[in-house]
Each structure stands twice: as C-alpha cells, then as structure tokens.
Amino acid sequence: MKATLTTLWSRCWFRICCYGFATLLLLFLFRYPIMRSVGRYLADADTPEQVDVIAVLGGNSYVRGKEAVNVHHMFPSTPMVCTGGNIPVQLLAFDTVLTESQLTRHFVTKSGVPDSLITCLDQSFSTRDEALELKAYCESMGYRSLMVITSSYHLRRTGITFRKALEGSSIRLNLHGAPDDSFNPESWWTEEESLITVNNEIMKLIYYFFKY
C-alpha cells in the first residue's frame, strides 16, 4: 500500500489532483470569511471630512442622491456636483429625456439641497470619464479636496480610477459610500441581485486593470 502511494505521488498528475482537491476543500471550508472579505474589499470607504466640493456620480440617482442629501446635512455649505451623461432608458417610457446628472440634481433639490449649490457635468459616460471630468473641473475652480459619493460596491474601482486620474495634482480625495439594497458586503452571496452586482463589479475591476 505504501509503495503504491509512493508510486502515485511520484506522478505529476496525481500531485496536481491532490493539490487541487486540497485547495477546493480549503476554499469551501473558509468560503464565508472569503466572500465577506470580497464584499469589504469592494466597499472601501473613507471617514467623511470637510472638502471643497462634493461629487455625486451617475449610475443610480436615487441611491446616490439620497446619500448626497445626508452628506449635505453634515456639510450644508459645500458645493455639490452631479455627474453622468448617460440617459436612463426607463425614462423614455415617460417621454422624458434627462441625463443621470440632471436626474440626480432633480432628486437632491427636491430633497432640500439648494439649487444654487449644485452644478451638473454631463459629458462623462463611465467612471473613468467622471474622474477626468471632475479633475478638470476642480482644477478650473481651484478646489483642493473632493468627496466622491457612489454606491458602496463601486467604491474600490472608483478609488483606483480617481487616484490614477488625480496623479500629479494636489487634489485630496475622500470616498463616501451610499448604502444600496442590492449589495450587503457581509452577505452579498445570499441574494441573486447582490450576487450579480458583485460579479459585474469584479469583471469591471479586471477590465479597468487591463485597459487603464
């Protein structure tokens, strides 16, 4: 028996199978800590602090706009920028054409943020576009610090993208996450919508890594 095992272990395919099985077993045993770590990795937020301008990214005007209103209550005199040039297709069913930035502006003003504090930037169609557009805007306005509000699952990619875009500038970045019902970092794998959200975000992280 011992001789048989020794003979098998000397074969490359057998060692690969053993290592593979051991790896799969460890992944299964530690699946919950690993998946929680993935959720926490994506939701990489900073502590809110006073900045020169607050930016609300496009993509989910309700969720991100609602959190922007909460942040406005913390820093009521800070200017706010809404970004996003995409037009949510659902609005076309109402014969309405609004960009994401305009839709966010509509929501936050309706929720009490003074319109005089808000600027719309609608020439960006991706996270990278938003980073570049906001960098140019901050430099033109002389702003030295920027808070970016986005969905919590989007924070990691936002941080990586914005830090690359802001390289060489003196603009300080602060990331703030908007709680989203479609993503719970502690249990995202238990619901279909949350699972899809995380899968999409991981794919986009990989795409951004190779493209930018």
Side-chain angles (χ1 to χ4, degrees):
M1 181 68 177
K2 184 176 181 181
T4 302
L5 289 175
T6 301
T7 301
L8 284 173
W9 188 253
S10 67
R11 296 176 180 174
C12 182
W13 66 266
F14 182 76
R15 293 198 302 273
I16 291 173
C17 289
C18 288
Y19 291 141
F21 176 78
T23 300
L24 291 174
L25 181 61
L26 287 173
L27 288 174
F28 177 78
L29 292 175
F30 294 98
R31 63 192 183 282
Y32 295 129
I34 290 171
M35 290 188 289
R36 279 193 291 269
S37 295
V38 170
R40 293 167 187 169
Y41 173 79
L42 294 177
D44 182 34
D46 297 320
T47 301
E49 59 182 31
Q50 180 66 58
V51 293
D52 294 335
V53 64
I54 297 166
V56 191
L57 300 190
N60 191 324
S61 295
Y62 176 71
V63 167
R64 300 173 188 183
K66 187 166 62 171
E67 188 60 23
V69 173
N70 294 334
V71 172
H72 168 72
H73 292 152
M74 290 189 277
F75 310 109
S77 62
T78 303
M80 185 178 292
V81 179
C82 302
T83 66
N86 293 309
I87 298 173
V89 294
Q90 292 87 346
L91 292 180
L92 299 178
F94 294 96
D95 298 321
T96 299
V97 178
L98 288 174
T99 63
E100 292 171 338
S101 60
Q102 293 168 336
L103 193 59
T104 303
R105 181 178 194 161
H106 170 76
F107 178 81
V108 297
T109 54
K110 186 183 71 171
S111 302
V113 179
D115 189 66
S116 58
L117 289 177
I118 303 171
T119 299
C120 278
L121 300 178
D122 56 7
Q123 298 303 307
S124 52
F125 303 93
S126 69
T127 303
R128 185 171 183 271
D129 289 348
E130 289 173 308
L132 296 174
E133 189 174 27
L134 282 167
K135 178 187 179 183
Y137 176 77
C138 288
E139 289 177 340
S140 70
M141 297 296 292
Y143 293 142
R144 298 300 179 190
S145 55
L146 166 69
M147 178 187 288
V148 175
I149 298 175
T150 189
S151 302
S152 56
Y153 64 82
H154 185 224
L155 284 169
R156 175 65 63 174
R157 182 161 57 93
T158 298
I160 293 171
T161 305
F162 271 75
R163 290 185 185 101
K164 285 184 178 179
L166 296 176
E167 283 180 359
S169 76
S170 58
I171 301 169
R172 187 179 79 255
L173 178 66
N174 184 271
L175 297 171
H176 187 85
D180 194 321
D181 290 341
S182 70
F183 172 71
N184 182 337
E186 302 299 319
S187 60
W188 57 267
W189 60 92
T190 63
E191 297 180 5
E192 181 179 356
E193 184 178 3
S194 187
L195 187 65
I196 294 171
T197 296
V198 171
N199 177 71
N200 288 344
E201 192 59 27
I202 290 173
M203 291 301 102
K204 289 179 181 179
L205 270 169
I206 295 170
Y207 173 78
Y208 269 55
F209 176 80
F210 286 104
K211 187 170 179 65
Y212 305 119

